[in-house]
Amino acid sequence: MNILILGSGGRESAFAWKISQSPKCQKLFIAPGNAGTKQYGTNVNLKVTDFAGIKTFVLSNDINLVLVGPEEPLVKGVHDFFLADEQLKGIPVVGPQQEAAQLEGSKDFSKQFMQKHNIPTAAYKTFTKDTLQDGLTYLATAGLPVVLKADGLAAGKGVLICLTLEEAQQELVEMLAEAKFGEASSSVVVEQFLQGIELSVFVMTDGTHYKILPEAKDYKRIGEGDTGLNTGGMGSVSPVPFADAAFMQKVEEKVIIPTIEGLKKDNIPYKGFIFIGLMNTNGEPWVIEYNCRMGDPETESVMPRIESDFIELLLGVAEGNLNEKELTISPKTAATVVMVAGGYPGEYLKNKVITGTENVRESIVFHAGTGTDGENVISTGGRILAITTLQDSMFTALQQATADASRIYYDGMYFRRDIGFDLL
Ligand code: AMP
Ligand code: GLY
């Protein structure tokens, strides 16, 4: 089979690494990919939202399946574009259509969906510019802390946790009346703050059947001890010790089954991944958010634990027979340490030469924001590399991933040395 992966980050590197190991994989293309994805396939110089360009490429390269990494092309309707095109409609796309992608693309849509299908989530109300006054009154009764979420995609920045009423009211005014996050905050979800510990649960579905992939914990803050600014993710670990069998059974019964059944009841087709951001509150799962794609850097910890042929699973999604496919998961622990640019998540250094990857011993070096200057591998993004180790013991995995990260160098190099150690 010839497969095209859309995307260029660590997540897509992990997909490419895994897919390239399948005996079913003939040609693998990654658009646009990065300096590391070239080890697994051929990079294609195409933007993930250039649907016309993707069409030309898919047809001229005899692509049999398209795997979509990031949310943007899904929310913009890449899957619908394929289905509406005579020449493309027979080529399966893994990643939901536009309507289902609203589970990530609109917080209000996802909250309404959860409420309708009795999926545990924080109490909420949605406000617009026209109902700003009601919003300010609601905040006064809502209890603190309170969470404000821009309805639309805001590059991971649209969620504010407010500790005082004054702050919450001011932010609501800025979001609704002053378009703090542009169009994304023309609607704002105000929700109750959930106390607990977070984890990411991943489901693969063909719209009827589902498989639960390994869960993971992601570390979002830039600083050790979970301090400082939010980032796209500084590391991840899978499995998550507190997500034991009893907890995961609750997740399946109270969240996953109602989600899949809810999509069916609402006649929303879904072929792809559902990423469920959960809060574990005293052993009970509460949904914080849905994403219509896999997580990054969670995918870098999830893929190495999947022992089965990943192309078979993708085909199961595409063909609607996921129930007939095997999913074997390694009991080992995967730990991922993300190496970022100096200054990230603020203004950060770019085009720095990366050295030392050849000294890495036990880990897989997944590239994220990398490119080449013709001769050297250089940094091009905030998150540069994701270093993943799979080991029998969690402690060894955490230690090894950290040790291997320190064998790599670039000007301004930074990574967290505490990823996962809180879970031991
Ligand atoms: P989101 O963009 O929805 O993933 O939210 C970003 C982060 O805000 C989440 O990963 C949580 O850490 C936090 N968060 C969002 N909603 C809540 C909530 N209701 N209670 C507590 N924390 C939340
Ligand atoms: N790691 C969180 C995300 O991918 O959104």
Side-chain angles (χ1 to χ4, degrees), residues 25 141 159 174 239 291 311 326 374:
C25 182
T141 61
V159 174
E174 285 180 21
N291 293 309
I311 293 188
E326 179 195 75

Side-chain angles (χ1 to χ4, degrees), residues 287-359:
V287 178
I288 295 175
E289 62 166 348
Y290 289 112
N291 293 309
C292 60
R293 51 166 175 92
M294 286 294 289
D296 194 348
E298 290 98 322
T299 308
E300 293 93 301
S301 291
V302 169
M303 284 300 129
R305 292 193 60 218
I306 297 180
E307 292 176 342
S308 318
D309 186 331
F310 197 57
I311 293 188
E312 283 293 347
L313 288 160
L314 294 172
L315 282 173
V317 169
E319 293 166 359
N321 57 357
L322 188 58
N323 55 320
E324 293 166 18
K325 305 293 179 178
E326 179 195 75
L327 172 61
T328 314
I329 294 171
S330 162
K332 294 184 181 183
T333 294
T336 300
V337 170
V338 174
M339 305 187 67
V340 304
Y344 177 81
E347 276 290 302
Y348 55 81
L349 300 173
K350 273 191 201 163
N351 303 325
K352 299 298 175 193
V353 174
I354 300 165
T355 56
T357 51
E358 67 283 1
N359 300 327

